[in-house]
Amino acid sequence: HSFEDNEYRAAHVALAIVSALKRYDLRAKCGVTVGVGFCGLVGAPNRCEYAVMGPSVNLAARLMCAAAKSDKDVYVESGIERATSVSPQARLCVFNACEPIKAKGFSEMVKVFSLEEAAKDRAHTLTHEDVAFTG
């Protein structure tokens, strides 16, 4: 299924994951992107594995690594920030522009934004019940 606000849902579930793990004194770093990718079985029938791959998946991994080097938990690329900013739920997310990064496999610098819950939304800690996951 696809929804009009997939980008917002992806950003919001990343915040929910970070929030849920913090309750157990665990940390998570997330990279969120938007794009086309492949999801399915790869390899020979007798030796295959399930994989997700494509430029957007690779970029998400690069953003996750960049977030790990910072004090932020969630990094998103400009497509997520742009689409989420016009979402009716935009008030729930705060995007802060970060220094662009040079991501392996990408010829141009990548615009990066850190993502946080809006202050008024922090009073309500996100749970998995709050977010409809699409993946």
Side-chain angles (χ1 to χ4, degrees):
H1 296 279
S2 185
F3 300 93
E4 292 177 2
D5 62 347
N6 283 336
E7 294 85 357
Y8 166 76
R9 289 169 182 257
H12 204 66
V13 79
L15 291 173
I17 290 168
V18 168
S19 177
L21 290 174
K22 281 183 180 177
R23 289 195 300 263
Y24 298 101
D25 291 324
L26 299 171
R27 293 183 47 96
K29 298 293 185 168
C30 299
V32 185
T33 62
V34 60
V36 177
F38 170 80
C39 178
L41 296 175
V42 294
N46 62 339
R47 186 176 164 88
C48 61
E49 63 185 19
Y50 190 78
V52 180
M53 51 188 158
S56 59
V57 178
N58 294 345
L59 181 56
R62 306 291 182 222
L63 293 178
M64 179 187 68
C65 291
K69 296 175 185 173
S70 77
D71 62 339
K72 302 300 181 186
D73 295 321
V74 181
Y75 272 7
V76 303
E77 51 97 13
S78 59
I80 296 290
E81 185 273 338
R82 188 173 41 255
T84 301
S85 295
V86 298
S87 169
Q89 299 92 343
R91 63 182 169 68
L92 301 175
C93 298
V94 175
F95 294 95
N96 296 301
C98 301
E99 288 293 318
I101 65 167
K102 175 66 179 141
K104 182 179 173 185
F106 294 84
S107 59
E108 300 201 13
M109 298 292 281
V110 178
K111 291 182 183 177
V112 177
F113 297 84
S114 66
L115 172 63
E116 299 176 20
E117 293 176 67
K120 64 182 176 182
D121 197 41
R122 288 188 188 129
H124 170 73
T125 302
L126 295 172
T127 67
H128 68 280
E129 288 92 9
D130 297 323
V131 181
F133 179 71
T134 303

